[in-house]
Amino acid sequence: MQATRSGERSLSAGRRGVNAGMAVIITLGTLLVIAPLLWIIIYLVTQGISSLNLDFFTRTPAPEGETGGGWLNAIVGSLIMLAIAAAVGVTVGVAGGVFLAEFPRHRLMPTVRMVSDVLAGIPAIVVGLVIYSLVVLHTGFSGFAGGLALGLLMIPIVVRTTEEVLKLVPLAVREAGMALGLPQWRVIVSIVLPAATSGIITGVMLALARVAGEAAPLLFTAFGNNLLNFNPGKAMSALPLQIYIGATSSYDENQRLAKAGSLLLILLILIASLLARAASRRR
Amino acid sequence: MTKPLSSPRRLPSSRGDGTFRAIVIGLSVVIILVFVLSVLLLARDSVPALQHFGLGFLTRTAWNPVTGNFGAAPMIAGTLVTSFAALIISVPLALASAIFVAEYAPKWLAGPVSYLVELLAAVPSVVYGLWALFALKPLIQAFQLSLYTRFPDLATRCSELHANNQNSFSCFFFPEAPVGLGLALAIIILTIMILPYTASVARDVIRLVPGDQREAMYALGATKWEVIRLAILPYARAGITGGVILALGRALGETLAVAMVIGNVPEFAKTIWGNTATMSSMIALQFGDAQATLHRSSIITLGLLLFVVSVIVNYGARLLIARLTPKGIQ
């Protein structure tokens, strides 16, 4: 406001200059924000694509110092741990979302809302510490402990998206159910939840994409394992965990596979987020 | 439930309702339990370290597993310095991208740009770490080497100062050795990682600024930038602040990307390039090997500290955002 009144003639050129200058700065700033993403994608594609071959998907890592091998163990481990995480995250998360959306006057409601919001910001590494003393201390490193840690990280995301989509289901739909004489739980289970399914699936996909890239909570829960292992009761590898181990290894071979693994992980996350976006747009 | 005659038609439904409520509420209480259990476990395991060192744990500078001497000060400093430096660099950039998407970009461009910014948040921490290690580190090393060849006098003077554990303003910016890893690289990578959080919150609150605010300013003859500076940014300030605090929460807890590039020396950095550690990087790298109770407990105390700080920061950010986004009250 102050700038608009002082000296119309002389300032007008100055103001126009500032305006144009800021437009340039803002555009450059935006380019600077996007540049790293493009750089990362180009880097991973050029460095990783040649190693993302059949071996990568069908073999386990070669012994240290030898060449060849792949990351079948990490792919299988990721799938198993994500399944465990989904079981935990979807059960508790959807229930939490239903609670917040359908029982808004319950006296526990503000606490559940606050705690789930706050849990969303707890560093993943701290969740790893908690699962370590809760599970690993008693049963040892396992895919189960890793999946549980990832599941806890999924909960807040699933709670929030479930609550939001449930609130989008029109009140009239619920009233129609009630008018048919259905009890509240039937209305929720048979009418409200099915109406919100695609939204909930979107939330679950986003949550899975998010935790699929987490390595920190797996460091001392799943721990990692170079052998092909289908038993979640034992130590298990996962793509992000193996990327961490490979990238910080001094062997070229491990670094090469880590780049291919990163490319695969990024592609999976891109696909999941695109699918989630497509699903939410269709709704 | 045992009064079938008084309300026969309500019986089956109310029993189902009761079971359903019990399941939903029971599972929701699990969320609270997870939180409470986390606090209790971390607190319990922190006891040995806190008993041994007292609250002085927070200000002690030693970290030596061999002699059993632990203090969190270098890691607290490392966490605060990297987080705030990343915040300071990222806020203007994030605001620029938010303003661009909300005010400048044509529709066909705004969508893709904000999608790309959000993808920045989807890139996993380890992938940022890998990229920093293989693509950025060599660049930083080359830059550090060029400083040596360009300023040989400064190089000699600073290496003497650093050898004697002294410092000066110019030497603070001069690398001790051209290793690439260290504080600067950690700050760069953190900056990139937290950008999307501030950017997307800022974009959303800027879009919530009512159209009349803009039109009133344009009607007074304001330029586009003046409208943004005088009508939009002040209106969106509180919401943007919430987004910045949210990004701070991310930065404080960010683990592997930082652990991969910061060097992980539990000491204060002597220069902007120096090796140091953060609380989370220390947990990630030492917890697996920590055998002694005191060592393990000291690391868990770092975790407890991180937990408490994240709860406070995130709760504060959510309060700010929740209070200010709904109808954009002042």
Side-chain angles (χ1 to χ4, degrees):
Chain A
M1 284 300 283
Q2 307 94 315
T4 53
R5 277 274 162 240
S6 48
E8 289 266 299
R9 225 177 309 143
S10 61
L11 258 183
S12 148
R15 285 173 55 198
R16 204 169 298 156
V18 169
N19 189 43
M22 287 315 295
V24 171
I25 289 175
I26 284 167
T27 310
L28 286 180
T30 308
L31 285 176
L32 214 52
V33 171
I34 305 172
L37 181 75
L38 302 178
W39 187 355
I40 289 172
I41 291 174
I42 292 168
Y43 178 82
L44 291 180
V45 168
T46 53
Q47 300 281 312
I49 194 98
S50 61
S51 305
L52 208 56
N53 49 24
L54 194 62
D55 273 3
F56 187 89
F57 293 96
T58 55
R59 301 180 60 183
T60 54
E64 289 289 322
E66 288 177 26
T67 53
W71 276 14
L72 181 60
N73 61 326
I75 295 168
V76 169
S78 267
L79 290 176
I80 292 175
M81 281 193 265
L82 286 176
I84 296 169
V88 176
V90 173
T91 316
V92 180
V94 170
V98 168
F99 178 65
L100 293 183
E102 306 293 328
F103 304 114
R105 274 189 297 264
H106 196 280
R107 72 196 144 84
L108 279 178
M109 189 283 210
T111 317
V112 172
R113 145 89 39 77
M114 190 197 82
V115 169
S116 97
D117 274 357
V118 160
L119 276 184
I122 301 296
I125 187 91
V126 176
V127 173
L129 280 181
V130 170
I131 296 298
Y132 181 88
S133 25
L134 195 64
V135 180
V136 178
L137 262 185
H138 310 289
T139 63
F141 298 116
S142 66
F144 176 72
L148 189 59
L150 298 183
L152 294 190
L153 291 170
M154 281 180 73
I155 290 173
I157 312 175
V158 178
V159 168
R160 181 148 281 268
T161 44
T162 303
E163 183 195 358
E164 272 164 20
V165 287
L166 287 183
K167 282 185 173 163
L168 288 179
V169 177
L171 203 59
V173 172
R174 288 164 225 256
E175 283 165 353
M178 295 284 191
L180 290 175
L182 291 178
Q184 189 191 11
W185 75 274
R186 286 286 294 185
V187 173
I188 295 172
V189 171
S190 313
I191 300 176
V192 178
L193 279 176
T197 304
S198 75
I200 294 174
I201 290 175
T202 306
V204 171
M205 294 276 283
L206 288 175
L208 276 174
R210 171 76 210 293
V211 300
E214 286 285 359
L218 301 182
L219 284 175
F220 23 81
T221 54
F223 194 71
N225 183 352
N226 267 351
L227 307 171
L228 184 59
N229 170 24
F230 292 95
N231 176 4
K234 297 224 172 75
M236 207 172 237
S237 197
L239 277 172
L241 188 57
Q242 196 102 15
I243 291 169
Y244 171 67
I245 296 166
T248 51
S249 149
S250 48
Y251 289 102
D252 286 349
E253 193 61 10
N254 294 344
Q255 298 180 0
R256 175 181 74 84
L257 288 172
K259 289 170 189 166
S262 298
L263 178 60
L264 177 63
L265 191 58
I266 289 266
L267 288 177
L268 291 177
I269 288 171
L270 279 182
I271 291 168
S273 81
L274 282 174
L275 284 180
R277 266 173 92 87
S280 67
R281 196 166 294 159
R282 198 150 35 84
R283 187 150 41 84
Chain B
M1 256 173 264
T2 49
K3 301 182 289 180
L5 286 178
S6 59
S7 57
R9 307 229 5 239
R10 303 251 341 137
L11 176 66
S13 61
S14 60
R15 182 188 294 153
D17 269 351
T19 318
F20 182 75
R21 272 179 86 94
I23 294 173
V24 167
I25 294 171
L27 286 170
S28 303
V29 168
V30 168
I31 300 172
I32 302 175
L33 283 182
V34 165
F35 180 81
V36 174
L37 205 63
S38 304
V39 179
L40 290 180
L41 284 173
L42 292 171
R44 183 198 66 186
D45 295 342
S46 301
V47 166
L50 289 175
Q51 234 162 26
H52 197 273
F53 301 111
L55 277 182
F57 180 76
L58 303 180
T59 52
R60 293 161 55 91
T61 57
W63 187 279
N64 191 337
V66 180
T67 58
N69 199 1
F70 299 103
M75 276 65 78
I76 295 175
T79 303
L80 293 179
V81 168
T82 49
S83 299
F84 280 98
L87 212 58
I88 289 167
I89 306 171
S90 74
V91 167
L93 289 172
L95 277 183
S97 77
I99 293 171
F100 180 80
V101 166
E103 301 292 322
Y104 282 89
K107 253 208 177 105
W108 60 269
L109 193 59
V113 169
S114 52
Y115 181 56
L116 285 179
V117 173
E118 261 154 41
L119 276 187
L120 218 46
V123 175
S125 184
V126 266
V127 174
Y128 276 116
L130 177 137
W131 174 68
L133 219 45
F134 294 133
L136 292 186
K137 194 186 94 172
L139 296 183
I140 302 258
Q141 266 177 311
F143 179 72
Q144 289 173 331
L145 268 177
S146 79
L147 286 179
Y148 274 81
T149 47
R150 203 165 299 168
F151 307 104
D153 299 343
L154 205 56
T156 334
R157 196 165 71 81
C158 290
S159 69
E160 273 172 32
L161 276 180
H162 288 147
N164 296 325
N165 263 331
Q166 289 170 305
N167 217 329
S168 72
F169 182 74
S170 52
C171 289
F172 182 71
F173 297 96
F174 205 84
E176 293 158 79
V179 288
L181 295 181
L183 198 51
L185 187 50
I187 291 172
I188 293 173
I189 206 74
L190 257 188
T191 302
I192 299 171
M193 292 183 75
I194 64 174
L195 269 172
Y197 297 97
T198 316
S200 64
V201 175
R203 182 198 59 208
D204 291 346
V205 291
I206 287 174
R207 280 192 176 151
L208 283 175
V209 175
D212 355 350
Q213 292 267 326
R214 296 182 178 89
E215 281 149 27
M217 281 297 289
Y218 282 125
L220 290 174
T223 63
K224 185 157 204 154
W225 169 245
E226 284 160 354
V227 171
I228 292 167
R229 187 167 68 91
L230 301 169
I232 294 177
L233 287 183
Y235 205 90
R237 190 170 56 205
I240 293 173
T241 311
V244 171
I245 301 176
L246 213 56
L248 175 66
R250 286 282 151 193
L252 292 170
E254 190 43 60
T255 307
L256 280 181
V258 175
M260 287 160 88
V261 301
I262 202 167
N264 279 294
V265 183
E267 291 167 5
F268 295 109
K270 281 187 207 137
T271 68
I272 186 74
W273 306 99
N275 287 353
T276 180
T278 65
M279 294 192 273
S280 57
S281 78
M282 211 58 177
I283 300 172
L285 284 147
Q286 289 208 344
F287 187 73
D289 300 324
Q291 297 297 331
T293 314
L294 200 55
H295 189 192
R296 176 156 283 183
S297 174
S298 299
I299 294 173
I300 293 175
T301 310
L302 292 180
L304 178 66
L305 201 57
L306 212 48
F307 187 99
V308 172
V309 171
S310 332
V311 168
I312 295 170
V313 167
N314 277 285
Y315 190 57
R318 302 247 172 225
L319 275 186
L320 261 182
I321 295 175
R323 215 184 50 190
L324 294 144
T325 31
K327 285 266 172 275
I329 318 142
Q330 293 279 323

